[in-house]
Amino acid sequence: TQLLEQSPQFLSIQEGENLTVYCNSSSVFSSLQWYRQEPGEGPVLLVTVVTGGEVKKLKRLTFQFGDARKDSSLHITAAQTGDTGLYLCAGGPNTGNQFYFGTGTSLTVIP
Amino acid sequence: KAGVTQTPRYLIKTRGQQVTLSCSPISGHRSVSWYQQTPGQGLQFLFEYFSETQRNKGNFPGRFSGRQFSNSRSEMNVSTLELGDSALYLCASSSIFPGQGSAPLHFGNGTRLTVT
């Protein structure tokens, strides 16, 4: 059973388009992190959000944490081929520094 | 600053064998976590160590074990390998200390284990 469900699972778009990835749960998390993973590499942290309703911007990426701290979204404006990768949300921490990872969204940006 | 180093990068084992994977965290990080990544299940938490003590364990059978040394390096061991153990095993270190809210995970590039 996955605590965090991401949608869509796969996304293929043209360069320059906008997109939104969703991360939903029935559980409340003290923080939520977003990672991007490229083939053959480990996930790399993009952002951490900790306050309900919080919005963070990282260049063309906008992250939002739901008011109830159960869900989050990632919006990419004017996607570039370099945005291609697997996007993972992670909620936690639980005991210690344990995080629950979402099911992942595989994004392909076509030139 | 050197990142998280995992060795080996690739392993091929047969059913019934055992395997040991190694992880060297970022210098100064005392928390090391292990995750299993498969296409069907995504990233699943295995266990976390802090200062040589296991703080938390995921829902995996006892065939999966780990330890952490005084220099924070960590190993995980899988005994009596099964086909379903084929996965990418990721190690992550963190600068978190007890009582701290949360800290980012810094992942290595993983060990790809194939069980035949």
Side-chain angles (χ1 to χ4, degrees):
Chain A
T1 303
Q2 293 285 355
L3 283 184
L4 287 163
E5 296 288 340
Q6 286 183 238
S7 62
Q9 189 177 357
F10 298 97
L11 192 54
S12 182
I13 61 170
Q14 294 290 134
E15 197 169 26
E17 291 184 345
N18 302 332
L19 67 116
T20 302
V21 176
Y22 298 94
C23 173
N24 295 299
S25 175
S26 58
S27 301
V28 175
F29 293 103
S30 56
S31 71
L32 201 134
Q33 301 178 346
W34 284 92
Y35 292 80
R36 182 171 70 207
Q37 184 178 20
E38 299 188 23
E41 299 182 4
V44 175
L45 180 71
L46 296 173
V47 77
T48 300
V49 285
V50 297
T51 305
E54 182 177 2
V55 177
K56 278 194 176 179
K57 290 193 174 184
L58 185 67
K59 296 183 181 178
R60 294 175 296 101
L61 278 60
T62 302
F63 304 86
Q64 185 162 8
F65 201 12
D67 291 340
R69 290 189 288 133
K70 292 182 179 180
D71 52 81
S72 180
S73 64
L74 157 61
H75 182 79
I76 301 179
T77 303
Q80 300 176 356
T81 55
D83 296 327
T84 293
L86 179 67
Y87 287 82
L88 297 158
C89 62
N94 196 22
T95 308
N97 204 36
Q98 175 187 350
F99 283 86
Y100 294 96
F101 277 80
T103 47
T105 294
S106 179
L107 171 65
T108 302
V109 181
I110 304 165
Chain B
K1 199 174 192 181
V4 177
T5 303
Q6 291 188 246
T7 57
R9 285 298 307 273
Y10 301 94
L11 266 177
I12 300 175
K13 293 285 187 178
T14 56
R15 277 179 298 176
Q17 288 186 314
Q18 74 167 23
V19 67
T20 299
L21 313 181
S22 180
C23 172
S24 294
I26 291 173
S27 178
H29 287 189
R30 291 162 64 184
S31 168
V32 174
S33 304
W34 289 88
Y35 288 81
Q36 180 196 65
Q37 186 175 30
T38 59
Q41 297 296 317
L43 271 88
Q44 302 283 317
F45 174 78
L46 281 158
F47 25 67
E48 183 210 359
Y49 288 87
F50 183 89
S51 291
E52 302 178 67
T53 300
Q54 187 182 87
R55 292 207 294 179
N56 202 12
K57 190 177 192 301
N59 189 27
F60 278 82
R63 300 185 295 107
F64 291 81
S65 63
R67 58 178 176 169
Q68 187 181 32
F69 302 96
S70 58
N71 62 358
S72 293
R73 191 177 70 85
S74 178
E75 289 181 347
M76 68 163 280
N77 183 275
V78 188
S79 62
T80 320
L81 284 166
E82 301 177 359
L83 295 178
D85 297 333
S86 294
L88 180 67
Y89 289 88
L90 291 161
C91 166
S93 74
S94 168
S95 59
I96 193 171
F97 276 79
Q100 183 180 347
S102 68
L105 298 174
H106 298 265
F107 284 90
N109 289 331
T111 294
R112 172 75 61 185
L113 172 64
T114 302
V115 182
T116 62

